């Protein structure tokens, strides 16, 4: 029902504005980190004198963002259920969903990131013919930052479902904004343009730590459960997929389209097998089998 009296309820409207305002702070932090680094590069390395630097960052940010579509859609799908579960007082179930969002989102990012990082030079040559000088290194580092952030995406959804987001957004948004002064200091001390991406990765780690801390404080999230269910399995998939893909890559003498296909297929297969064995629980594997049987019977 539409309750018109809520429209003039000053207390309720003020609470909504507070919630939106803290969310806006977090969004501003992400905006300052992503676009602020581009402004910093333009200031430090003028496009007329250093066109390769600015183009490299733009290519790296664009290409890396393409790997986030599936994991972002997954988080959007889980968020309403987590909010409803928290509202019903079923916090343990909500925390289970949080770890699932983190591990599934990280896995979906790894599926694209592992072969892309391994074959980044050849992919950029196929795409741009003459890629910018630093594009490969910047893309790999930004992808690494995205993987780190996905490890805590479920904790973000859990805190949002709880509603007490002020301290969380102050912490995470502040860490994102700190990327700019950190990158500026690195450039001032003589480090190259790639240093801004190292600043990106560093603050991504601090953001992850902030997510874990406030998830533990606000919704009693278990760090041990996160380590067991998210970090360790995803680290296994990362290293296993890289080793298999790198082994296939070494069997080819020169970069080629056939090597790209072989690396993509083998790394995907290895990551999927590792995810089935180590990432999914017994109940989750049973659900997947049941879904496949239903699809087969349609």
């Amino acid at each position: 029902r539409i309750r018109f009296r809520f429209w003039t309820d000053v207390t309720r409207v003020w609470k909504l504005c507070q919630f939106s305002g803290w969310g806006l702070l977090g969004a501003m932090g992400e905006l300052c980190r992503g676009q602020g680094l581009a402004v910093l590069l333009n200031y430090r390395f003028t496009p007329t004198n250093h066109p390769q630097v600015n183009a490299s960052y733009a290519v790296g940010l664009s290409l890396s963002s393409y790997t986030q579509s599936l994991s972002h859609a997954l988080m959007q799908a889980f968020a309403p259920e987590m909010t409803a579960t928290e509202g019903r007082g079923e916090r343990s179930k909500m925390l289970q969903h949080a770890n699932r969002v983190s591990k599934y989102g990280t896995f979906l990012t790894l599926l694209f990131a592992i072969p892309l990082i391994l074959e980044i030079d050849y992919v950029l040559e196929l795409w741009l013919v003459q890629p910018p000088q630093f594009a490969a290194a910047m893309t790999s580092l930004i992808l690494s930052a995205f993987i780190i952030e996905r490890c805590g995406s479920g904790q973000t959804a859990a805190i949002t479902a709880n509603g007490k987001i002020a301290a969380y957004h102050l912490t995470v948004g502040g860490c994102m904004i700190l990327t700019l002064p950190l990158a500026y200091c690195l450039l001032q001390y003589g480090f190259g343009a790639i240093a801004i991406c190292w600043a990106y990765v560093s603050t991504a780690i601090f953001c992850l730590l902030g997510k874990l801390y406030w998830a533990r404080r606000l919704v009693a999230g278990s760090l041990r459960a996160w380590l067991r269910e998210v970090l360790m399995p995803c680290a296994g998939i990362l290293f296993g997929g890289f080793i298999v893909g790198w082994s296939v890559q070494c069997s080819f003498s020169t970069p080629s389209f056939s090597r790209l296909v072989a690396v993509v297929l083998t790394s995907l297969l290895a990551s999927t097998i590792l995810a089935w064995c180590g990432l999914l629980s017994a109940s989750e594997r049973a659900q997947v089998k049941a879904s496949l049987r239903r699809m087969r019977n349609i």
Side-chain angles (χ1 to χ4, degrees):
R1 292 184 300 169
I2 299 177
R3 299 185 179 182
F4 294 100
R5 62 184 178 86
F6 287 165
W7 295 14
T8 57
D9 188 337
V10 178
T11 303
R12 182 180 293 271
V13 172
W14 175 243
K15 288 182 179 179
L16 291 173
C17 290
Q18 282 183 314
F19 187 87
S20 301
W22 290 117
L24 180 63
L25 175 64
M28 287 296 295
E30 188 170 357
L31 179 65
C32 288
R33 182 181 63 177
Q35 301 305 318
L37 290 177
V39 174
L40 179 61
L41 279 178
N42 285 328
Y43 171 75
R44 184 73 179 184
F45 303 94
T46 57
T48 54
N49 298 327
H50 306 276
Q52 295 286 326
V53 173
N54 299 277
S56 296
Y57 180 73
V59 169
L61 195 61
S62 299
L63 189 58
S64 300
S65 63
Y66 295 150
T67 66
Q68 302 300 299
S69 55
L70 282 179
S71 57
H72 182 71
L74 175 74
M75 184 173 176
Q76 295 298 317
F78 265 91
E81 172 61 21
M82 293 179 63
T83 302
T85 306
E86 173 70 10
R88 293 193 298 266
E90 301 174 2
R91 175 159 292 180
S92 60
K93 186 177 180 180
M94 188 271 291
L95 292 175
Q96 290 176 0
H97 287 328
N99 284 339
R100 285 173 181 167
V101 170
S102 294
K103 68 180 183 181
Y104 295 160
T106 306
F107 169 66
L108 290 174
T109 303
L110 289 174
L111 283 180
F112 296 96
I114 292 173
L116 182 57
I117 292 175
L118 286 170
E119 289 290 328
I120 186 62
D121 292 315
Y122 184 71
V123 169
L124 288 174
E125 288 179 6
L126 282 179
W127 182 26
L128 302 173
V129 182
Q130 293 182 340
Q133 180 181 0
F134 306 108
M138 287 187 173
T139 302
S140 300
L141 288 172
I142 295 173
L143 270 174
S144 301
F146 284 171
I147 293 170
I148 293 169
E149 289 179 344
R150 282 302 166 200
C151 289
S153 56
Q155 281 60 41
T156 298
I159 295 169
T160 304
N162 176 258
K164 298 178 180 179
I165 62 172
Y168 162 76
H169 278 302
L170 277 174
T171 303
V172 176
C175 288
M176 289 182 180
I177 294 173
L178 281 176
T179 308
L180 281 176
L182 177 59
Y184 180 79
C185 290
L186 291 175
L187 293 176
Q188 284 292 101
Y189 279 102
F191 291 92
I194 299 178
I196 68 161
C197 293
W198 284 111
Y200 202 123
V201 173
S202 300
T203 53
I205 295 174
F206 287 122
C207 287
L208 175 61
L209 295 176
K211 293 174 184 178
L212 296 173
Y213 173 78
W214 286 112
R216 186 176 181 181
R217 283 286 304 272
L218 298 175
V219 295
S222 172
L223 180 60
R224 183 175 300 176
W226 178 82
L227 290 171
R228 184 180 63 252
E229 298 176 14
V230 179
L231 183 61
M232 293 178 64
C234 289
I237 294 171
L238 175 64
F239 290 116
F242 260 109
I243 290 172
V244 172
W246 177 76
S247 300
V248 173
Q249 191 179 47
C250 291
S251 63
F252 290 80
S253 57
T254 57
S256 62
F257 186 76
S258 58
R259 190 183 81 169
L260 173 64
V261 173
V263 169
V264 170
L265 292 178
T266 53
S267 62
L268 287 178
L269 180 61
S271 299
T272 303
I273 293 174
L274 290 170
W276 179 263
C277 297
L279 189 68
L280 299 180
S281 63
S283 61
E284 291 168 341
R285 287 195 292 268
Q287 290 177 0
V288 172
K289 291 178 181 178
S291 299
L292 292 176
R293 283 194 296 267
R294 287 195 298 269
M295 293 174 60
R296 187 177 57 185
N297 295 330
I298 293 177

